[in-house]
Amino acid sequence: MYRILFLCVLALMVSCKEELINPPENLIAKDKMSAILYDLALVTAAKNTSVDVLKENKIEAMKYIYTKHDIDSLQFVQSDVYYASYPAVYGEIYKSVEEKLKADIKVIDDAKKEQRTLDSIERVRKPKKLDSIKAGKPIQSKAN
């Protein structure tokens, strides 16, 4: 009895599974999509913090990404929509982007910490200028 019930439930599950969206002919691979979304995050951050630099250098964010990854806008949009229709896969892609960004932040924080250490060592090594009053030097008048 349980076998028949199990087979019926299994048959229903398999028969009900349909793809929401068919994969496009030129689907971007998951790893490449992750790299594209990573670059998109960096370019968006740059655009939000220093728009003038991008304008001065005549850099268009999306055109740069399409050229760098050798894709076109339609291919990107179709692949993005396809992956978005599968939340688990899309989540994996964004998780990898997040890990790359966190690794970058850690590298930057470590570099800042190292620079602060070097700066403090330099300050200690630098001879301190003594105040003329505290050093006991006579003050020269300008009248002489």
Side-chain angles (χ1 to χ4, degrees), residues 5-55:
L5 182 61
F6 176 74
L7 289 174
C8 288
V9 170
L10 182 64
L12 279 172
M13 288 174 53
V14 171
S15 66
C16 290
K17 184 183 185 271
E18 64 182 71
E19 290 193 22
L20 300 175
I21 297 176
N22 293 327
E25 291 177 14
N26 54 359
L27 179 68
I28 299 170
K30 282 177 21 177
D31 293 341
K32 188 172 183 178
M33 190 67 171
S34 175
I36 292 167
L37 292 174
Y38 169 78
D39 286 341
L40 184 60
L42 292 179
V43 169
T44 302
K47 196 162 79 172
N48 289 334
T49 57
S50 54
V51 174
D52 296 335
V53 174
L54 294 175
K55 283 182 182 177

